[in-house]
Amino acid sequence: MPQVHLCEVGPRDGLQNAKQLMPTEAKKAWIAALAAAGLKEIEVGSFVPPKLIPAMADTEEIVKYALGIRGLKVVALAPNLKGFQRAIAAGAHKVTFPVSASRAHSQSNVRMTPEQMVDEVRKCAAWPHPGVEIEGAVSTAFGCTLQGEVPEDDVVRIATELAGFCDGVALADTVGYANPAQVKRIFSRVKKEIGEKLEGAHFHDTRGLGLANALAAYEVGVRAFDSSMAGLGGCPYAPGASGNVITEDLVFMFESMGVSTGIDIEKLLLAREILVKAIPGEPVYGHTPVAGLPKGFRAAA
Ligand SMILES: [Zn+2]
């Protein structure tokens, strides 16, 4: 049976953009419920200065808690060597680095050029990190709200450089600019260069194309996807569904196609209840949670 692997990024991508802070104990309960629903990989936080993103101030504690959940791969984001060292000390299984293909976004996000950021990740890869997986995530790979168009050649070059010293490379549509034709084209170009090192796809649903883009990536061989419960994430000032592709709907799409996600949708909806209670008033999205499962629905497995 065909399978895909999902990484839930809500506790990081989602909560960093939420208007409210989720209490640490609620985060733990939410993460436990996500894992109980069958998610085997969760990006639980980021090692950035707490002053910059207060919602991520408890990442150390959250990583340590998540390490106690059997079978869960615990992922954290780090923007530099200092963040990487904190992630290693906390015990994260995998660390993901955002490397913007857009020069403008790179400066505003990490205050480095893309070349400097590639060097920073290279430095991290050379730092002792026994047992810790390193992922280079090429962000703004499909366009950028600051710069506009991002040349595909830049995306291919950065992904290829990262593949030289990272365990895996992901392509991220940080601002929801991608379309399915572009997704197929760019993933295929990068795959030609780096083969199996190309792992994940990270889409935002800002213009409603999150699922279409995920399906397009699946059709060119991508089997690992980031998504966020209730579609949290993205820019809080953009009207409408501006967050990540919605986990609940992504799971429904794949399962109804006969592609196994290993995730139990009913249990996933229980985890959603915990999330909704923990940040009341926060806009939440998702078609399947509202409409319910179709009569006679059968999961893939
Ligand atoms: Zn994102």
Side-chain angles (χ1 to χ4, degrees), residues 86-300:
R86 287 173 64 202
I88 295 170
H93 297 132
K94 172 174 162 184
V95 179
T96 182
F97 293 90
V99 183
S100 293
S102 150
R103 299 197 161 270
H105 183 259
S106 190
Q107 284 294 352
S108 98
N109 199 34
V110 291
R111 291 166 201 251
M112 290 185 247
T113 64
E115 291 77 15
Q116 286 168 328
M117 188 58 193
V118 168
D119 283 343
E120 187 73 19
V121 183
R122 188 182 282 117
K123 213 162 49 175
C124 294
W127 189 267
H129 58 280
V132 181
E133 215 177 291
I134 293 183
E135 177 186 77
V138 186
S139 45
T140 57
F142 301 87
C144 169
T145 41
L146 300 169
Q147 177 176 305
E149 198 185 325
V150 173
E152 288 181 16
D153 288 349
D154 289 356
V155 177
V156 175
R157 190 190 59 223
I158 291 169
T160 306
E161 284 178 33
L162 289 172
F165 45 84
C166 291
D167 299 298
V169 173
L171 301 184
D173 180 24
T174 312
V175 294
Y177 272 23
N179 67 70
Q182 184 190 19
V183 165
K184 285 190 175 177
R185 194 171 61 241
I186 298 183
F187 269 94
S188 300
R189 278 193 66 185
V190 172
K191 184 142 197 169
K192 228 171 153 186
E193 298 296 325
I194 69 173
E196 293 304 301
K197 283 247 174 153
L198 178 60
E199 283 178 345
H202 177 109
F203 295 118
H204 280 253
D205 200 30
T206 316
R207 288 170 183 75
L209 295 187
L211 284 183
N213 289 333
L215 183 59
Y218 178 80
E219 285 176 351
V220 292
V222 176
R223 293 293 179 266
F225 297 87
D226 287 353
S227 62
S228 184
M229 175 158 271
L232 298 183
C235 174
Y237 303 106
S242 59
N244 287 80
V245 64
I246 301 159
T247 305
E248 299 90 315
D249 291 342
L250 189 65
V251 170
F252 173 68
M253 180 184 81
F254 281 126
E255 291 288 336
S256 57
M257 287 168 61
V259 177
S260 175
T261 62
I263 294 164
D264 179 321
I265 297 191
E266 311 275 353
K267 287 185 183 162
L268 198 58
L269 297 179
L270 296 178
R272 180 183 169 100
E273 281 176 26
I274 294 176
L275 166 68
V276 170
K277 274 192 202 133
I279 42 173
E282 194 71 31
V284 289
Y285 304 98
H287 295 281
T288 305
V290 172
L293 292 170
K295 207 172 263 180
F297 169 78
R298 251 185 264 144

Side-chain angles (χ1 to χ4, degrees), residues 43-73:
E43 195 169 311
V44 299
S46 63
F47 288 98
V48 292
K51 252 189 265 168
L52 289 184
I53 308 182
M56 297 293 110
D58 57 3
T59 295
E60 243 117 30
E61 185 176 345
I62 294 295
V63 166
K64 284 185 180 150
Y65 169 78
L67 289 173
I69 301 173
R70 193 188 293 266
L72 180 67
K73 187 189 267 193

